[in-house]
Structures are given as structure tokens and as C-alpha cells.
Amino acid sequence: MSPQAARLFRLLGIHPGPEFSLHAAAALAGLPASHARQALDTLVGAHLLEQTAPDRYEFHDLLRAYATDQARREEPPEGHTAALRRVLDWYVHTADAVQGWVEPDEDRLPLGPPAESVVPLAFADRDQAVDWSEREHTNLLAAVRAAAAGELDRHAWQLTAILFYARARSTSVDDWLSVAPIGVDAVRRQGEPAGEAGLLECLGMSYTRANLLAKSRDCHEGALAIRRARGDRYGEAQSLNLLGLVHLRLRELSEAEASFRRAGAAFGELGFPYWESIALINLADARHQAGRIEEAARDAEEALAAYRARDDRPNVGRALRLLSSIHLERGAPAEARRAATEAVNIALDLRHHVLEGFWLIALGNAQRALGEHSEALVSFQRSAALHRRLGDRSREAMAWQGAGETYRAMGRLVEAADFHRRAVAAHRELGDHWQEALALDALADALAADDGDRSRRHRAEALRIVDSFDDPRAVELRARVEGR
């Protein structure tokens, strides 16, 4: 075996994961890709590596342990650290290129140049970037852990922050949460308050998605305090907007509206029309949840026009999802289905499972209103499956609720009651009292014909919960439940 191939074999034992690409191997060894390929071909021919796909390789387990041991024994400490730094540079800068395609409107970290001889990948389009993120998901998580173990704190926190935006949207929120504390600890050791605020923001958004709302609030308030201390008005507006989303999940609708108003005003004063429109669609959502339909519709239409003018497809979909619910309440189910169908198609084109799962609930509701019960059940079942995989139990329960209402519309009350019970249990466990009340009321309807006593108990429990809310939609729900 050539010295170059033998050295590459040893250095591959430093790679964070057992499976890797040609370009990661080239970065690790500080070689041009053509030279790395020759060495990899030698290792494959000697049965020390297996080629699993074009330019993709992996170790057999025992051989990886042997390579790791050889790297520790034969590479000087500075060479070991330099190799790890090079491959982490490659992952950081390539993931940053992914973020540029996947979340182009989010702020990018100011990165220094990669180590000499490291050539990060560039991508021709969004699909290429998403493909890379999906293939490298496990390696990216392992790279954060390897950076921390190697005391490379800057790599650890920067990769954690970039990975939040560059990660595959088909993965569970729990995956990123598993490495987030590593990034937060690393950025604090580095004494980077702006980076700490950014990571707390990402952590807060992840906790929101995981329905850990108290933790989410703490993170966003921590980020807000740092940004105010630094005089960062733009960052302060971001934190206010995200705190508004926590209030919205908690159904603290007045607080949510106040946060969105303050954030939108700040973005407008600072000259950030994109983020001003984000605060506006969030404000529309808060008004819709409060039952202020016409105000919500006005805001959502204004935001949609801005998004279409920019060809901002993810946010076009967000506005259409909300407008679908508004159309349904206005008694226009065909318009609701049209808007929701366009939204879901956008999510499918973007390969964004989080958005697809949520928007399928709106589509299912519109399909049920039109009597398209089989199609509605498909939408709700797909939504529940996506949310289960993504780790969002609240929205999984909302999909169950939609399926239960569809079975009830079909006269299949036993199946309807089963789905409503599952929704009640999930929302109760998560502490989402509003959704619990809605599910209890639906369960009472499903049981009314065959088990009147239990139906009345569930309705009374729903009323007890609703009494703690005073917004127009809650008043309407209370009157409806009392009238049955």
C-alpha cells in the first residue's frame, strides 16, 4: 500500500462517522479530490473500505476501530488536530452553503476562510443542497460531538447553529436538540454573546416544535436580554416575534398580538420588509385564533401579496394555509381546498416535511367540508405520520382530531370516538388546554347517541376548560357547547 493510502486509512479513523464522502476524505487528508480518490480506490481494493455508492465509502466496524487506534498511535497530536479541524471546516462551510439554499432569508454566520486545501461543496440548486443535507445528517450531528471532544469550540457552536437551518426537514427535532446543549456550552466558553443569543433562539424554536413551551420561553427571553444589553434592535425584534409564537401556542392571544405588533413595528423602522411581513402573518394567525376573522383575512391577504411579489414560496404557503381556514369559516370550502392544495404542493416541491404535515391538516378540513371523506382521511393520516416522525405530538394529535371529525361526518362513530380519545389524551399530557377542550367537545358529540352520560361529562369538562379563556372564539365555543 502506498504511503498516501496508508496515511488516509489512519486519518479516516478521525472522521466523526463510519460513512463518508470522497470530498470529506479529501478535506480530512488535505488532498485534492483526485488524489483522495486514488487512495480510496486502493483501500477499497484491499478490502479495508467498502464503496456504498458513487463517491461514498464506509468502514467495517473493526477496521474503523483499528484505523482510529493507528491515528492515535502514529499521527502526532498536532497532525491529529489539524486533520479534525480540516474536516470540520469542510462540514461547517458546506452546511453554510446548504443554508443559503434552504433558508436564504435567515441570517448567515460570518465565517472565516476554511483551512488551506479544504474545498467546501457548492450546489447548483436547492434539491442538490437538500440531498446533501439528508445524506450527511448523521455525520453532521457526529461532527458537533467530535468538535466538542476535540476542544474545537468555535467549530462546535458554529456547526450547531448552521445545522439548525441546514438540517434535513425530514428529520426529528429531537436530533438537533441532542447536540444543541453542546453548541450552547461551546459558545459560552468562547465568550460570543451574539452567537449565544442566536443559539438560544434556535433552541427556543426547537422547544416550541417539541411542545416544551416553558423551556422555549426561557430561551427566547434569554436571547432577548442579551440582545437588549448589546443594543441589537434587529435581534430584539426577532426575539419578540418568536416570543409571540410561544404565546400563540399557549393561547395567550393578547400577549401574542402585542409581541407581533412590536416586532413588526421594529422591523419596519429598521428597514426589513421581509421580517415585517413575517410578523404580519403571525399577527393574522393570532387574530384568526381569537375569532377575529375579517382582521385576520385582511392581514393574511396583505402578507400573501408581498410573498407572491417576492416569489417567496414557503411563506406563500404559510399565508395560504391560514387563508384556507378563513375560507372554511366563511362558508367557502372550495376556496379553502384550493388554497390548501396549493400550499401542500409548495411543501412537496420544497421537500419540507414540517410544512407539509401542518398544511395537510388544513387540506383535510377542506376536503371533509366538501364531503371528500376518503381524501380527507388520507390527508390526516399522512399528516399524523409525518408529525410522529418529526416529534411534534401536538400537531399529530390535531391530525387525529381531524380524522375523528371525518369519521363522525361519515357516521362511523366508534372510530371517531377512538381518534378523539387519543387527541384528548395527547393534548392533556402536553398541557394544551384549548385543544383538549376542542377534542373533548368532539368526543362528546361522537358519544352522544350511544352513551349520553359520558357525553355530558365530557361536555362539562370541556366547558370547565373553556371558562379560563375570554377571547371571541372561546365565547363562541362556550355558547355552542352550552346550547347542546
Side-chain angles (χ1 to χ4, degrees):
M1 185 182 301
S2 70
Q4 189 173 80
R7 175 176 175 268
L8 179 59
F9 176 77
R10 293 193 302 273
L11 292 180
L12 287 170
I14 300 171
H15 185 269
E19 191 263 355
F20 46 86
S21 69
L22 162 67
H23 297 283
L28 189 66
L31 292 172
S34 58
H35 292 190
R37 180 178 279 113
Q38 290 177 344
L40 289 165
D41 287 344
T42 299
L43 295 174
V44 170
H47 305 291
L48 296 174
L49 292 177
E50 182 178 348
Q51 185 167 3
T52 58
D55 292 341
R56 303 290 301 183
Y57 305 85
E58 70 178 6
F59 270 116
H60 303 291
D61 289 343
L62 292 177
L63 287 171
R64 183 178 185 229
Y66 176 66
T68 301
D69 182 66
Q70 289 295 297
R72 186 169 53 251
R73 290 172 180 272
E74 299 193 26
E75 292 294 322
E78 61 274 15
H80 191 288
T81 300
L84 180 59
R85 190 187 301 274
R86 284 193 298 270
V87 75
L88 292 174
D89 270 0
W90 184 80
Y91 277 117
V92 165
H93 284 267
T94 303
D96 179 67
V98 171
Q99 181 185 335
W101 282 104
V102 175
E103 294 286 0
D105 293 301
E106 295 292 345
D107 295 329
R108 309 268 289 276
L109 287 180
L111 301 175
E116 189 177 355
S117 79
V118 172
V119 182
L121 296 181
F123 302 100
D125 55 35
R126 191 181 190 280
D127 278 342
Q128 277 191 10
V130 172
D131 286 343
W132 184 87
S133 181
E134 290 178 344
R135 280 195 306 269
E136 297 289 352
H137 179 67
T138 300
N139 283 334
L140 288 163
L141 296 171
V144 173
R145 298 185 179 100
E151 299 182 349
L152 297 174
D153 282 341
R154 182 167 296 279
H155 290 85
W157 80 259
Q158 288 184 339
L159 186 54
T160 303
I162 294 168
L163 180 56
F164 177 80
Y165 294 107
R167 73 194 191 284
R169 293 307 189 264
S170 57
T171 59
S172 169
V173 66
D174 292 336
D175 289 351
W176 187 83
L177 282 172
S178 71
V179 299
I182 296 173
V184 173
D185 289 344
V187 76
R188 285 173 174 163
R189 285 192 296 267
Q190 288 271 294
E192 296 266 7
E196 181 182 352
L199 268 175
L200 286 173
E201 178 177 286
C202 296
L203 192 54
M205 286 188 277
S206 297
Y207 281 141
T208 298
R209 189 166 298 160
N211 305 293
L212 300 170
L213 298 178
K215 289 185 175 183
S216 177
R217 191 201 302 262
D218 288 346
C219 287
H220 290 311
E221 287 177 346
L224 179 61
I226 291 171
R227 287 163 168 171
R228 281 178 172 162
R230 300 181 71 246
D232 179 2
R233 290 194 64 215
Y234 168 76
E236 181 179 347
Q238 291 283 9
S239 293
L240 286 169
N241 182 56
L242 291 165
L243 277 167
L245 292 175
V246 178
H247 289 306
L248 197 58
R249 280 275 188 129
L250 291 167
R251 202 170 178 78
E252 298 167 350
L253 300 180
S254 297
E255 294 89 339
E257 181 168 347
S259 291
F260 295 140
R261 282 180 173 279
R262 290 169 64 194
F267 286 133
E269 291 170 12
L270 295 168
F272 290 98
Y274 169 82
W275 289 109
E276 186 179 9
S277 69
I278 295 295
L280 179 63
I281 196 64
N282 290 337
L283 177 62
D285 203 352
R287 287 171 165 168
H288 175 253
Q289 289 196 33
R292 293 155 59 188
I293 303 301
E294 297 310 314
E295 293 173 85
R298 181 197 65 215
D299 293 341
E301 292 285 4
E302 181 182 340
L304 177 61
Y307 298 144
R308 288 201 189 279
R310 284 200 304 267
D311 194 26
D312 182 352
R313 300 188 71 212
N315 284 311
V316 166
R318 290 186 176 99
L320 287 169
R321 192 278 310 171
L322 179 55
L323 285 166
S324 175
S325 299
I326 291 170
H327 289 314
L328 206 55
E329 292 195 58
R330 285 173 160 176
E335 280 298 297
R337 181 183 58 185
R338 180 201 60 75
T341 298
E342 184 181 352
V344 170
N345 286 337
I346 288 170
L348 289 169
D349 288 346
L350 296 174
R351 298 162 62 181
H352 201 309
H353 288 186
V354 175
L355 300 182
E356 180 191 351
F358 189 35
W359 298 347
L360 277 167
I361 295 174
L363 179 58
N365 288 333
Q367 290 166 329
R368 183 182 62 248
L370 288 165
E372 299 170 351
H373 296 141
S374 296
E375 292 86 347
L377 288 175
V378 170
S379 294
F380 290 128
Q381 289 161 0
R382 167 73 174 164
S383 174
L386 285 171
H387 286 125
R388 188 176 310 119
R389 189 165 75 220
L390 294 166
D392 192 330
R393 295 182 58 220
S394 175
R395 287 180 176 171
E396 181 184 4
M398 290 180 191
W400 291 341
Q401 175 77 354
E405 291 173 0
T406 304
Y407 279 121
R408 188 151 45 93
M410 298 167 71
R412 294 164 62 175
L413 299 182
V414 173
E415 290 155 292
D418 181 56
F419 276 101
H420 291 317
R421 285 190 191 96
R422 293 164 68 184
V424 168
H427 290 309
R428 181 173 294 155
E429 185 178 345
L430 293 168
D432 189 336
H433 302 305
W434 175 257
Q435 291 295 333
E436 181 188 353
L438 293 178
L440 281 166
D441 181 49
L443 177 57
D445 283 345
L447 294 173
D450 296 325
D451 193 341
D453 287 344
R454 186 166 294 178
S455 173
R456 283 188 289 276
R457 287 199 300 272
H458 289 318
R459 217 177 294 283
E461 190 177 0
L463 275 173
R464 178 185 60 76
I465 294 172
V466 172
D467 279 343
S468 63
F469 300 99
D470 60 2
D471 56 86
R473 191 177 294 280
V475 172
E476 178 186 337
L477 176 60
R478 187 181 303 113
R480 189 170 73 244
V481 174
E482 288 174 340
R484 288 175 178 167

